[in-house]
Amino acid sequence: KVMDQLFGMHQLEKQLAKHFGIARCIISAGDSDRQEKVVKNFGESLNESLDVLLPEGKNIIAVMGGTTMAQVAECLTNLESNERHNLFVPARGGIGEALTVQANSVSAMMAMRSNGEHRALYVPEQLSSDTYRSLMKEPSILEVLNLISQANCVIHSIGRALHMAARRKMSEKEILMLKQANAVAESFGYFFDEAGKVVYKVPRIGLQLKNLQTVPLILAVAGGKSKAKAINAYMQNAPKQTWLLTDEAAANEILKGE
Ligand code: F6P
């Protein structure tokens, strides 16, 4: 019975990876919308994947924020060795999230759990363009931006467009625009329609979507039936080297029509 279940899940993983044309999917049983333990399983899958995928030498791992990222960060265990050292950095400047789920916090937690190092990127949300320009000349900020641009691994989540717009307190004008553009997904501060086309971008420093293409390791962590549409939209145009860590509920919903 257990073997049958494992085999079934393996088939589903293969089918979903093929659906998106990506490297690999790892599917946890259940629905993370309804069962907390499923997010823990994402964390365990992430930990194992990083252990297998991260090469020897110095790795720079750029991470995004969000509640999923904050929870999986807690699940990492030692990823250091004599040959391997990891440095965690936030992927982009603040995009209007609560402190505990900001990329800075996620990166610090991942470093702490995995015995790695981390660097924070301190850029306030609302800045005049003059202040912004002078901040960009700050050596401490430039140093972190430089590290981000050298990242060989990116870990991020995917959210629902309007949910994320509301959570980040975007203006009514922006929300109306997102509705008119049929935005369904959000990741990295970019909004995507159902075909995976970028319809809006929150301008922030750090990693830009076009930089992702050349990052060797990308792990996307998102699940739950409620996110199926968003995951499906974003993953269509996601870089092909992406590994998707998701759950059965999202996978079944995405593949329903096939
Ligand atoms: O804000 C960072 C972020 O990773 C977004 O890019 C993504 O849409 C969102 O968080 C996911 O948040 P949650 O895990 O809370 O659904």
Side-chain angles (χ1 to χ4, degrees):
K1 183 99 200 300
V2 176
M3 286 313 281
D4 282 354
Q5 278 172 358
L6 275 178
F7 182 73
M9 199 63 101
H10 190 61
Q11 289 302 106
L12 194 61
E13 287 173 341
K14 283 205 343 216
Q15 203 186 341
L16 194 61
K18 193 167 162 220
H19 174 83
F20 293 130
I22 58 167
R24 181 125 194 234
C25 289
I26 300 179
I27 301 179
S28 301
D31 183 348
S32 56
D33 284 344
R34 294 184 301 149
Q35 300 147 289
E36 285 247 349
K37 70 166 200 298
V38 181
V39 184
K40 283 227 158 50
N41 292 339
F42 292 163
E44 282 158 20
S45 304
L46 176 67
N47 196 42
E48 284 167 27
S49 306
L50 288 172
D51 204 17
V52 170
L53 290 170
L54 288 172
E56 290 182 352
K58 192 139 184 103
N59 295 298
I60 302 180
I61 306 168
V63 304
M64 289 297 301
T67 61
T68 312
M69 290 294 295
Q71 288 178 79
V72 298
E74 306 264 358
C75 303
L76 296 195
T77 59
N78 184 35
L79 293 168
E80 294 286 306
S81 74
N82 286 338
E83 292 79 33
R84 185 166 72 189
H85 300 292
N86 304 317
L87 173 66
F88 292 83
V89 289
R92 297 192 87 191
I95 39 182
E97 292 270 40
L99 181 66
T100 49
V101 304
Q102 278 172 14
N104 272 330
S105 312
V106 171
S107 130
M109 178 57 76
M110 287 190 164
M112 191 176 93
R113 296 282 189 212
S114 68
N115 299 320
E117 284 180 79
H118 74 98
R119 294 272 187 291
L121 180 64
Y122 294 113
V123 195
E125 272 300 303
Q126 306 292 347
L127 285 179
S128 70
S129 33
D130 280 353
T131 316
Y132 186 84
R133 268 195 293 276
S134 49
L135 257 187
M136 288 307 112
K137 291 186 195 130
E138 264 307 305
S140 62
I141 291 187
L142 282 177
E143 189 207 325
V144 182
L145 288 177
N146 193 27
L147 289 169
I148 296 170
S149 72
Q150 295 170 50
N152 66 323
C153 177
V154 169
I155 314 171
H156 70 94
S157 187
I158 303 160
R160 286 173 291 150
L162 296 179
H163 178 81
M164 289 310 299
R167 193 164 100 188
R168 292 192 188 135
K169 304 196 175 51
M170 286 167 71
S171 70
E172 277 188 24
K173 209 173 135 209
E174 283 172 304
I175 293 179
L176 186 66
M177 192 280 305
L178 288 173
K179 284 183 182 157
Q180 279 164 351
N182 296 316
V184 294
E186 191 281 348
S187 199
F188 303 102
Y190 290 77
F191 288 83
F192 305 82
D193 67 12
E194 237 171 292
K197 200 178 104 213
V198 176
V199 293
Y200 188 66
K201 172 190 171 184
V202 182
R204 286 294 178 271
I205 57 165
L207 192 88
Q208 308 298 313
L209 202 57
K210 62 174 191 296
N211 309 138
L212 254 200
Q213 297 298 334
T214 52
V215 175
L217 304 172
I218 306 172
L219 296 120
V221 190
K225 192 175 175 194
S226 65
K227 278 193 183 181
K229 221 181 189 173
I231 297 169
N232 195 34
Y234 170 77
M235 287 308 301
Q236 297 195 25
N237 287 333
K240 299 306 170 202
Q241 66 274 33
T242 306
W243 281 34
L244 172 66
L245 279 49
T246 189
D247 59 25
E248 228 181 337
N252 285 329
E253 185 70 15
I254 290 166
L255 295 170
K256 210 164 61 180
E258 291 208 341

